[in-house]
Amino acid sequence: MDKDWHAGFLETSDMMFIKSELVRELDIQESSAPEPMKFLIEFLIDYKQMKRDTRHGTLGNPIGANAAIGKKNMNIVITKMAEHILELLKK
């Protein structure tokens, strides 16, 4: 998943679990951005470029995303965040 950028497999899976009605499954397509990392850096400078250079606003490949993967990922993320917060509260 080293090239799982914005609206890619993992983020789309997370959203399918968290708030599935926001994911338009019929629109799930691979990014049209040729070099996601270069594009992302340039996007931070010029938001209009995303509209110009991507057809769907994605920089990753969301194909195959699903709520079950999102649930597993969110469980890991939330557990790690809770552990970190508890450690911070001990200080």
Side-chain angles (χ1 to χ4, degrees):
M1 294 218 189
D2 62 331
K3 295 182 181 178
D4 190 39
W5 310 99
H6 172 65
F9 177 81
L10 199 52
E11 283 188 356
T12 302
S13 292
D14 291 346
M15 287 307 299
M16 291 173 118
F17 172 66
I18 296 168
K19 197 146 179 81
S20 62
E21 63 270 19
L22 295 180
V23 179
R24 297 182 309 257
E25 292 188 51
L26 294 176
D27 290 341
I28 292 179
Q29 297 181 28
E30 188 169 358
S31 174
S32 58
E35 298 176 59
M37 187 52 138
K38 179 177 182 254
F39 180 84
L40 186 59
I41 291 167
E42 292 171 359
F43 164 70
L44 294 172
I45 298 167
D46 181 8
Y47 170 74
K48 292 177 185 174
Q49 180 171 332
M50 181 173 247
K51 288 185 172 189
R52 185 174 60 236
D53 294 346
T54 68
R55 291 186 301 266
H56 306 289
T58 65
L59 296 178
N61 183 353
I63 295 171
N66 64 77
I69 295 292
K71 182 177 182 177
K72 287 180 185 178
N73 186 53
M74 286 291 95
N75 186 40
I76 292 167
V77 168
I78 292 167
T79 299
K80 291 293 182 187
M81 286 178 69
E83 290 170 1
H84 184 68
I85 290 167
L86 290 171
E87 284 299 314
L88 289 173
L89 292 173
K90 289 179 184 177
K91 292 182 180 183

